[in-house]
Every structure is written in C-alpha cells, then in structure tokens.
C-alpha cells in the first residue's frame, strides 16, 4: 500500500455554475458576497479582508449560539483564474494551516469551479467532515452567484 505524503492529503470537489467566470470570481473574492455563502446558512461577520498575496482576513461565524473565529491568509490571487488561501477556525492563521485552492475554468456561459483543501493538517475523519461542509458551502455559493 502506498503512503500519501501529509501535504498531499485532503479532498477535491468540483461544481459547474451557470454563470460566467467573472461572476463566480466576485462571489469568492468579495468579502460581502463571501460572507453570504461561506458557512452555509449561518451568520458570518467579516472583520477584515485584505485580498492580496500575503493579505489576511478574519471573521466570526455564529453557529447555534457558538462563536467560531475564522482567519485566513491569501497565498495566491490570480484573478479570475485561481484563489488560494490558508484557512483556520482557530482565529489566527499559521504557516502550517491547510490551504483552500479555488480554480475557475471558463466554459463560456458556465464556470467550472474546482476547490481543493490540502496540507495534511487534519485527520482523515476531519477531512471527510470538511468535505461535507464544503459541499454545503458550494450549494450556497450557487445561490449567491445566481443573484449577480
């Protein structure tokens, strides 16, 4: 059985949106739109958003009365092709945190979005939970994209 390097562990999801790539890019890169879909139907307040390589964002998600402090650092910003961000629900991003990479492929009136979470910082069970959560986020993202 082959071993998987820790940094190669994670998951990948794809989704096709009935919208041009520019609209999907806006939904993932503009803080007010991001706050509408990230977390899937729970409140997310964005406190800071510095969309540039090395820039960071912070926010608080409120879920069933519990506040979850989110933070991220933008690793790559290549509009409208790719956005990569280190992300954590521990309030302060560290160099060892996993990376979420959004890759947008233009399909004319549609956009193929591939999202990959990787880095090896989670257990297999945690990656499965994150994958399920992200799948829900992508459903909410479709609703936001449809309003643009």
């Amino acid at each position: 059985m082959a071993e998987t390097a820790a940094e190669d562990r994670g998951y990948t999801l794809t989704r096709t949106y009935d919208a041009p790539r520019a609209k999907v890019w806006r939904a993932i890169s503009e803080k007010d739109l991001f706050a509408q879909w990230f977390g899937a139907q729970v409140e997310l307040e964005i406190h800071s958003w510095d969309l540039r390589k090395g820039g960071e964002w912070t926010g608080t998600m409120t879920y069933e009365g519990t506040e979850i402090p989110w933070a991220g650092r933008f690793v790559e910003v290549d509009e409208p092709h790719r956005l990569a961000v280190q992300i954590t629900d521990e309030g302060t991003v560290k160099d060892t945190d996993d990376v979420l990479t959004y890759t947008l492929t233009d399909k004319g009136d549609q956009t193929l979005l591939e999202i990959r979470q990787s880095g090896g910082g989670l257990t297999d069970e945690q990656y499965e939970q994150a994958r399920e959560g992200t799948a829900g986020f992508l459903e909410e993202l479709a609703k936001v994209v449809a309003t643009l």
Side-chain angles (χ1 to χ4, degrees):
M1 183 165 99
E3 289 187 31
T4 302
E7 62 273 6
D8 293 334
R9 292 180 46 244
Y11 65 88
T12 301
L13 295 171
T14 58
R15 166 97 192 231
T16 300
Y17 294 94
D18 290 323
R21 183 168 52 183
K23 288 185 179 183
V24 179
W25 176 265
R26 282 187 57 208
I28 66 169
S29 66
E30 293 180 14
K31 73 175 187 173
D32 293 338
L33 297 174
F34 177 85
Q36 291 178 37
W37 65 266
F38 186 82
Q41 300 182 2
V42 296
E43 182 182 340
L44 173 63
E45 180 182 355
I46 302 289
H47 306 297
S48 64
W49 187 267
D50 185 8
L51 183 68
R52 63 178 174 82
K53 184 176 181 176
E56 296 190 3
W57 72 272
T58 59
T60 302
M61 182 182 290
T62 304
Y63 177 71
E64 296 181 353
T66 301
E67 290 187 348
I68 303 167
W70 284 91
R73 178 180 302 128
F74 296 104
V75 177
E76 181 180 359
V77 180
D78 181 14
E79 182 179 351
H81 308 285
R82 184 190 304 269
L83 180 66
V85 59
Q86 286 180 292
I87 192 164
T88 182
D89 61 358
E90 295 181 1
T92 303
V93 70
K94 300 177 292 303
D95 290 339
T96 56
D97 286 326
D98 270 21
V99 175
L100 277 177
T101 302
Y102 305 81
T103 303
L104 287 73
T105 303
D106 185 358
K107 298 288 184 183
D109 291 339
Q110 295 183 319
T111 301
L112 175 68
L113 172 66
E114 176 183 281
I115 186 167
R116 169 117 178 105
Q117 181 172 347
S118 61
L122 304 178
T123 66
D124 290 342
E125 181 180 345
Q126 289 170 320
Y127 275 122
E128 180 57 26
Q129 292 170 348
R131 186 194 67 74
E132 290 174 11
T134 300
F137 293 179
L138 295 181
E139 291 300 315
E140 294 302 311
L141 176 58
K143 295 174 187 176
V144 171
V145 168
T147 68
L148 301 177

